[in-house]
Amino acid sequence: MRIPLDRQSTVPLYQQIEDYLRQGILSGSLAPGTRLPASRQLARDLGVNRITIENAYAGLETDGLVYSKVGSGTYVLA
């Protein structure tokens, strides 16, 4: 998954990732039931710390847009 990040921005990286995923979910380009990339893999792909991805996913989960299954992954809610 390619997520454009502006490392010069005052907006934290986790927030940029969360906003990008939120837009995809709300626009329907990330359909309900879609499994999001594993935090380790996405962190590696984007060149960020895994905690950055986990914080982005946590924000989406708090807002009821995704849910996590331990050992399975993070999925988009309907």
XYZ file of all heavy atoms in Angstrom:
598
model
N 0.857 -1.178 0.000
C 0.000 0.000 0.000
C 0.900 1.236 0.000
O 1.805 1.354 0.805
C -0.895 -0.020 1.249
C -1.759 1.201 1.385
S -2.894 1.139 2.793
C -4.135 0.036 2.145
N 0.623 2.124 -0.911
C 1.394 3.368 -1.023
C 0.609 4.503 -0.371
O -0.503 4.830 -0.797
C 1.645 3.705 -2.488
C 2.501 2.702 -3.191
C 3.953 2.889 -2.783
N 4.762 1.854 -3.377
C 5.773 1.283 -2.765
N 6.094 1.629 -1.548
N 6.484 0.358 -3.376
N 1.197 5.068 0.655
C 0.588 6.188 1.353
C 1.552 7.360 1.255
O 2.698 7.258 1.707
C 0.300 5.840 2.830
C -0.688 4.678 2.911
C -0.225 7.063 3.574
C -0.950 4.178 4.321
N 1.129 8.474 0.641
C 2.035 9.611 0.519
C 2.262 10.273 1.882
O 1.305 10.617 2.569
C 1.293 10.549 -0.436
C -0.150 10.176 -0.295
C -0.182 8.711 0.051
N 3.514 10.394 2.267
C 3.858 11.024 3.538
C 4.695 12.270 3.281
O 5.591 12.261 2.455
C 4.659 10.055 4.414
C 3.941 8.790 4.864
C 4.880 7.916 5.676
C 2.692 9.120 5.660
N 4.366 13.327 4.006
C 5.140 14.563 3.935
C 5.935 14.677 5.230
O 5.408 15.073 6.266
C 4.209 15.758 3.754
C 4.957 17.082 3.669
O 6.211 17.076 3.775
O 4.287 18.113 3.511
N 7.182 14.292 5.155
C 8.027 14.275 6.354
C 8.403 15.680 6.820
O 8.915 15.836 7.925
C 9.257 13.421 6.103
C 8.874 11.962 5.901
C 10.052 11.084 5.570
N 9.637 9.767 5.142
C 9.313 8.761 5.951
N 9.337 8.936 7.253
N 8.946 7.592 5.475
N 8.126 16.682 6.019
C 8.407 18.080 6.398
C 7.190 18.736 7.053
O 7.286 19.844 7.583
C 8.812 18.891 5.161
C 9.967 18.308 4.367
C 11.214 18.092 5.203
O 11.563 18.913 6.027
N 11.883 16.971 4.993
N 6.054 18.075 7.006
C 4.806 18.627 7.534
C 4.825 18.679 9.061
O 5.508 17.894 9.719
C 3.633 17.756 7.071
O 2.432 18.194 7.669
N 4.033 19.595 9.609
C 3.869 19.649 11.062
C 2.872 18.599 11.539
O 2.773 18.349 12.733
C 3.391 21.051 11.503
O 2.157 21.346 10.849
C 4.430 22.108 11.172
N 2.135 17.985 10.602
C 1.183 16.925 10.947
C 1.984 15.642 11.195
O 2.780 15.237 10.344
C 0.156 16.700 9.808
C -0.777 15.562 10.134
C -0.602 17.982 9.529
N 1.799 15.016 12.366
C 2.553 13.798 12.659
C 2.305 12.701 11.614
O 1.224 12.636 11.015
C 2.020 13.363 14.024
C 1.359 14.562 14.595
C 0.900 15.401 13.441
N 3.301 11.850 11.409
C 3.188 10.791 10.405
C 2.009 9.865 10.685
O 1.282 9.478 9.768
C 4.489 9.987 10.326
C 5.688 10.741 9.778
C 6.938 9.882 9.865
C 5.451 11.191 8.355
N 1.800 9.492 11.949
C 0.689 8.592 12.253
C -0.638 9.226 11.847
O -1.547 8.545 11.364
C 0.683 8.167 13.730
C 0.050 9.177 14.666
C -1.313 9.115 14.936
C 0.793 10.193 15.260
C -1.906 10.038 15.785
C 0.217 11.111 16.093
C -1.144 11.031 16.355
O -1.743 11.949 17.181
N -0.750 10.553 12.020
C -1.984 11.254 11.659
C -2.160 11.297 10.151
O -3.276 11.150 9.643
C -1.977 12.678 12.238
C -3.304 13.382 12.079
C -4.389 12.743 12.920
O -4.224 12.592 14.120
N -5.474 12.353 12.297
N -1.075 11.479 9.410
C -1.148 11.461 7.948
C -1.623 10.094 7.459
O -2.464 9.999 6.564
C 0.218 11.778 7.342
C 0.690 13.200 7.556
C 2.039 13.442 6.929
O 2.290 13.055 5.787
N 2.940 14.083 7.674
N -1.104 9.025 8.066
C -1.492 7.661 7.689
C -2.949 7.419 8.047
O -3.722 6.904 7.243
C -0.561 6.641 8.372
C 0.864 6.799 7.847
C -1.068 5.213 8.165
C 1.927 6.108 8.675
N -3.324 7.804 9.253
C -4.710 7.642 9.699
C -5.670 8.403 8.786
O -6.702 7.862 8.366
C -4.854 8.139 11.140
C -6.250 7.977 11.707
C -6.372 8.490 13.124
O -5.358 8.596 13.845
O -7.509 8.795 13.525
N -5.343 9.630 8.438
C -6.200 10.450 7.572
C -6.338 9.821 6.182
O -7.430 9.799 5.610
C -5.663 11.867 7.446
C -5.770 12.666 8.737
O -6.499 12.241 9.664
O -5.101 13.718 8.834
N -5.242 9.306 5.658
C -5.262 8.671 4.329
C -6.167 7.437 4.345
O -7.004 7.259 3.453
C -3.841 8.288 3.913
C -3.771 7.663 2.543
C -3.669 8.458 1.405
C -3.818 6.286 2.387
C -3.602 7.881 0.141
C -3.756 5.702 1.127
C -3.651 6.508 0.010
O -3.599 5.934 -1.236
N -6.018 6.604 5.372
C -6.847 5.398 5.468
C -8.312 5.754 5.719
O -9.211 5.139 5.143
C -6.317 4.474 6.563
C -4.944 3.861 6.281
C -4.423 3.122 7.503
C -5.009 2.930 5.076
N -8.540 6.761 6.573
C -9.916 7.205 6.850
C -10.606 7.652 5.559
O -11.744 7.292 5.295
C -9.889 8.354 7.862
C -11.261 8.922 8.211
C -11.147 10.128 9.136
N -10.233 9.924 10.243
C -10.551 9.270 11.365
N -11.756 8.781 11.523
N -9.658 9.124 12.320
N -9.882 8.421 4.751
C -10.448 8.891 3.476
C -10.790 7.695 2.577
O -11.843 7.677 1.938
C -9.457 9.820 2.785
C -9.972 10.399 1.493
C -8.947 11.313 0.830
O -7.759 11.249 1.126
N -9.409 12.153 -0.065
N -9.912 6.700 2.529
C -10.169 5.508 1.722
C -11.378 4.734 2.200
O -12.179 4.244 1.406
N -11.533 4.638 3.520
C -12.675 3.915 4.090
C -13.970 4.670 3.811
O -14.954 4.088 3.349
C -12.468 3.699 5.609
C -11.315 2.724 5.843
C -13.752 3.194 6.263
C -10.827 2.666 7.281
N -13.971 5.975 4.081
C -15.193 6.767 3.913
C -15.595 6.924 2.447
O -16.784 7.030 2.145
C -15.035 8.130 4.584
C -14.862 8.090 6.107
C -14.633 9.490 6.660
C -16.047 7.422 6.781
N -14.620 6.907 1.549
C -14.938 7.032 0.128
C -15.364 5.695 -0.487
O -15.888 5.664 -1.599
C -13.732 7.570 -0.643
O -12.723 6.576 -0.741
N -15.116 4.607 0.234
C -15.491 3.291 -0.274
C -14.391 2.584 -1.041
O -14.567 1.457 -1.479
N -13.239 3.222 -1.215
C -12.163 2.540 -1.938
C -11.529 1.437 -1.085
O -10.901 0.538 -1.623
C -11.109 3.523 -2.450
O -10.674 4.384 -1.451
N -11.709 1.506 0.228
C -11.375 0.386 1.107
C -12.702 -0.187 1.601
O -13.340 0.360 2.490
C -10.511 0.845 2.289
C -9.074 1.222 1.966
C -8.389 1.839 3.181
C -8.299 0.005 1.495
N -13.119 -1.265 0.978
C -14.445 -1.840 1.235
C -14.507 -2.522 2.604
O -13.482 -2.974 3.125
C -14.769 -2.854 0.139
N -15.715 -2.607 3.174
C -15.880 -3.340 4.430
C -15.335 -4.765 4.288
O -15.516 -5.416 3.266
C -17.397 -3.357 4.633
C -17.874 -2.135 3.915
C -16.973 -2.007 2.717
N -14.646 -5.195 5.333
C -14.056 -6.530 5.323
C -12.640 -6.570 4.771
O -11.954 -7.583 4.892
N -12.193 -5.473 4.168
C -10.837 -5.419 3.626
C -9.833 -5.514 4.770
O -9.960 -4.819 5.774
C -10.597 -4.097 2.862
O -11.513 -4.013 1.788
C -9.172 -4.004 2.341
N -8.846 -6.380 4.599
C -7.792 -6.514 5.613
C -6.717 -5.473 5.318
O -6.202 -5.404 4.210
C -7.187 -7.915 5.566
C -6.151 -8.157 6.638
C -5.675 -9.623 6.599
N -4.749 -9.878 7.661
C -3.431 -9.737 7.567
N -2.890 -9.338 6.428
N -2.657 -9.989 8.584
N -6.411 -4.675 6.316
C -5.336 -3.692 6.178
C -3.992 -4.406 6.296
O -3.908 -5.470 6.908
C -5.469 -2.610 7.250
C -6.740 -1.764 7.202
C -6.747 -0.739 8.334
C -6.879 -1.065 5.864
N -2.947 -3.835 5.734
C -1.628 -4.473 5.824
C -1.187 -4.643 7.280
O -1.537 -3.826 8.137
C -0.703 -3.499 5.103
C -1.592 -2.659 4.251
C -2.902 -2.593 4.955
N -0.427 -5.682 7.534
C 0.129 -5.889 8.872
C 0.987 -4.674 9.238
O 1.647 -4.093 8.380
C 0.965 -7.160 8.890
N 0.958 -4.312 10.504
C 1.675 -3.104 10.929
C 3.174 -3.199 10.642
O 3.788 -2.225 10.222
C 1.424 -2.824 12.406
O 1.846 -3.901 13.215
N 3.756 -4.358 10.822
C 5.189 -4.512 10.535
C 5.488 -4.274 9.060
O 6.441 -3.594 8.713
C 5.662 -5.914 10.887
C 6.002 -6.111 12.310
C 6.419 -7.557 12.543
N 5.970 -7.964 13.853
C 6.780 -8.187 14.859
N 8.063 -8.095 14.699
N 6.302 -8.519 16.034
N 4.672 -4.885 8.204
C 4.912 -4.768 6.768
C 4.695 -3.335 6.285
O 5.488 -2.798 5.522
C 4.014 -5.728 5.987
C 4.287 -5.729 4.492
C 5.709 -6.158 4.169
O 6.167 -7.183 4.642
N 6.418 -5.368 3.377
N 3.606 -2.707 6.745
C 3.328 -1.338 6.320
C 4.413 -0.387 6.832
O 4.856 0.506 6.110
C 1.945 -0.892 6.790
C 1.451 0.446 6.260
C 1.484 0.510 4.742
C 0.049 0.746 6.775
N 4.860 -0.600 8.067
C 5.931 0.229 8.616
C 7.197 0.081 7.764
O 7.851 1.078 7.447
C 6.213 -0.166 10.064
N 7.509 -1.138 7.376
C 8.691 -1.377 6.539
C 8.524 -0.685 5.188
O 9.436 -0.032 4.692
C 8.887 -2.882 6.362
C 10.226 -3.269 5.786
C 10.435 -4.781 5.755
N 10.258 -5.393 7.076
C 9.369 -6.341 7.347
N 8.594 -6.826 6.413
N 9.264 -6.833 8.569
N 7.337 -0.837 4.583
C 7.075 -0.246 3.265
C 7.186 1.279 3.287
O 7.650 1.877 2.318
C 5.688 -0.637 2.753
C 5.567 -2.111 2.399
O 6.605 -2.809 2.321
O 4.426 -2.564 2.218
N 6.725 1.891 4.381
C 6.701 3.354 4.472
C 7.962 3.931 5.115
O 8.136 5.151 5.137
C 5.468 3.818 5.258
C 4.109 3.478 4.659
C 2.997 3.937 5.590
C 3.948 4.091 3.279
N 8.795 3.076 5.674
C 10.006 3.553 6.326
C 9.745 4.287 7.623
O 10.393 5.279 7.930
N 8.753 3.788 8.376
C 8.417 4.386 9.670
C 8.475 3.306 10.747
O 8.563 2.122 10.456
C 7.010 5.053 9.665
C 6.942 6.171 8.649
C 5.912 4.035 9.414
N 8.383 3.738 11.998
C 8.359 2.824 13.130
C 7.008 2.116 13.195
O 5.982 2.705 12.846
C 8.600 3.644 14.408
C 8.853 2.794 15.610
O 7.995 2.025 16.028
N 10.035 2.953 16.185
N 7.005 0.888 13.653
C 5.755 0.128 13.752
C 4.739 0.802 14.677
O 3.530 0.742 14.440
C 6.053 -1.288 14.240
C 4.876 -2.206 14.047
C 5.273 -3.615 14.373
N 4.538 -4.008 15.558
C 4.845 -5.012 16.330
N 5.893 -5.743 16.093
N 4.124 -5.305 17.364
N 5.221 1.453 15.714
C 4.321 2.160 16.639
C 3.541 3.244 15.896
O 2.380 3.506 16.216
C 5.127 2.777 17.807
C 5.813 1.683 18.620
C 4.256 3.645 18.686
C 4.875 0.686 19.261
N 4.144 3.855 14.900
C 3.472 4.878 14.090
C 2.236 4.280 13.423
O 1.152 4.881 13.439
C 4.442 5.429 13.026
O 5.578 5.982 13.693
C 3.787 6.495 12.170
N 2.382 3.088 12.852
C 1.257 2.410 12.197
C 0.221 2.000 13.231
O -0.987 2.176 13.029
C 1.747 1.176 11.410
C 2.830 1.562 10.393
C 0.566 0.467 10.742
C 2.429 2.593 9.378
N 0.676 1.451 14.349
C -0.262 1.015 15.387
C -1.065 2.186 15.939
O -2.255 2.044 16.222
C 0.489 0.283 16.492
C 1.006 -1.061 16.008
C 1.866 -1.783 17.034
O 2.112 -1.238 18.126
O 2.288 -2.908 16.704
N -0.440 3.359 16.056
C -1.171 4.550 16.509
C -2.226 4.966 15.483
O -3.338 5.351 15.847
C -0.211 5.707 16.778
C 0.591 5.522 18.048
O 0.218 4.756 18.925
N 1.707 6.216 18.135
N -1.885 4.887 14.199
C -2.854 5.219 13.149
C -4.033 4.249 13.185
O -5.198 4.672 13.131
C -2.174 5.185 11.780
N -3.744 2.955 13.294
C -4.800 1.949 13.356
C -5.667 2.132 14.612
O -6.883 1.980 14.563
C -4.215 0.542 13.342
C -3.730 0.051 11.989
C -3.758 0.846 10.846
C -3.224 -1.238 11.843
C -3.318 0.391 9.622
C -2.781 -1.713 10.607
C -2.835 -0.898 9.510
O -2.400 -1.359 8.291
N -5.022 2.486 15.734
C -5.767 2.691 16.982
C -6.756 3.846 16.851
O -7.884 3.766 17.352
C -4.807 2.944 18.133
N -6.343 4.908 16.176
C -7.250 6.037 15.963
C -8.456 5.651 15.135
O -9.590 6.050 15.427
N -8.225 4.835 14.109
C -9.335 4.372 13.271
C -10.256 3.431 14.050
O -11.476 3.475 13.887
C -8.787 3.656 12.028
C -8.016 4.536 11.049
C -7.316 3.677 10.006
C -8.936 5.544 10.381
N -9.657 2.615 14.911
C -10.468 1.691 15.709
C -11.300 2.452 16.731
O -12.475 2.132 16.940
C -9.557 0.676 16.405
C -10.312 -0.465 17.038
C -9.423 -1.620 17.437
O -8.182 -1.476 17.454
O -9.981 -2.690 17.729
N -10.728 3.474 17.332
C -11.454 4.313 18.296
C -12.672 4.957 17.640
O -13.726 5.079 18.264
C -10.518 5.407 18.860
O -9.448 4.771 19.549
C -11.250 6.337 19.794
N -12.534 5.325 16.379
C -13.641 5.959 15.652
C -14.608 4.949 15.032
O -15.528 5.343 14.324
C -13.087 6.878 14.565
C -12.397 8.103 15.158
O -12.612 8.395 16.348
O -11.639 8.766 14.426
N -14.381 3.662 15.263
C -15.302 2.642 14.777
C -15.203 2.359 13.292
O -16.166 1.888 12.688
N -14.053 2.639 12.693
C -13.898 2.402 11.260
C -13.226 1.067 10.953
O -13.390 0.526 9.858
C -13.095 3.540 10.616
C -13.768 4.907 10.679
C -12.813 5.981 10.177
C -15.047 4.911 9.858
N -12.451 0.548 11.894
C -11.779 -0.741 11.719
C -11.887 -1.536 13.020
O -12.226 -0.983 14.068
C -10.278 -0.574 11.352
C -10.108 0.209 10.058
C -9.492 0.066 12.472
N -11.597 -2.825 12.923
C -11.512 -3.668 14.114
C -10.322 -4.600 13.958
O -9.909 -4.912 12.844
C -12.806 -4.450 14.346
C -13.086 -5.510 13.305
C -12.732 -6.836 13.537
C -13.692 -5.190 12.097
C -12.981 -7.816 12.571
C -13.946 -6.149 11.140
C -13.583 -7.467 11.396
O -13.826 -8.430 10.443
N -9.787 -5.011 15.093
C -8.620 -5.894 15.085
C -9.001 -7.262 15.614
O -9.774 -7.374 16.569
C -7.510 -5.325 15.971
O -7.054 -4.107 15.456
N -8.445 -8.285 14.989
C -8.556 -9.659 15.457
C -7.146 -10.098 15.805
O -6.269 -10.099 14.939
C -9.081 -10.585 14.361
C -10.541 -10.559 14.119
C -10.871 -11.663 13.120
C -12.307 -11.642 12.713
N -12.594 -12.670 11.710
N -6.929 -10.460 17.061
C -5.595 -10.871 17.480
C -5.151 -12.070 16.651
O -5.884 -13.040 16.484
C -5.584 -11.215 18.981
C -4.222 -11.739 19.412
C -5.964 -9.982 19.803
N -3.970 -11.961 16.087
C -3.418 -13.045 15.294
C -3.928 -13.089 13.853
O -3.455 -13.882 13.061
N -4.891 -12.222 13.537
C -5.475 -12.250 12.196
C -5.235 -10.959 11.440
O -4.970 -10.981 10.238
C -6.975 -12.527 12.281
O -7.561 -12.520 11.008
N -5.372 -9.818 12.110
C -5.140 -8.557 11.434
C -6.171 -7.500 11.767
O -6.996 -7.659 12.666
N -6.132 -6.422 11.019
C -7.042 -5.297 11.181
C -7.900 -5.191 9.933
O -7.389 -5.249 8.813
C -6.239 -3.992 11.395
O -5.390 -4.166 12.551
C -7.162 -2.806 11.632
N -9.203 -5.058 10.129
C -10.168 -5.093 9.028
C -11.065 -3.862 9.049
O -11.375 -3.325 10.117
C -11.070 -6.332 9.150
C -10.303 -7.622 9.048
C -9.690 -8.179 10.156
C -10.187 -8.285 7.825
C -8.972 -9.366 10.058
C -9.477 -9.470 7.722
C -8.873 -10.008 8.838
O -8.160 -11.176 8.728
N -11.509 -3.457 7.864
C -12.441 -2.331 7.724
C -13.837 -2.793 8.141
O -14.304 -3.853 7.719
C -12.460 -1.825 6.260
C -13.495 -0.719 6.085
C -11.074 -1.350 5.840
N -14.478 -1.994 8.987
C -15.845 -2.281 9.407
C -16.849 -1.806 8.357
O -16.551 -0.910 7.577
C -16.158 -1.584 10.721
C -15.758 -2.316 11.990
C -15.893 -1.401 13.193
C -16.601 -3.551 12.189
N -18.039 -2.379 8.403
C -19.114 -1.975 7.493
C -19.642 -0.605 7.878
O -19.603 -0.219 9.005
C -20.234 -2.993 7.526
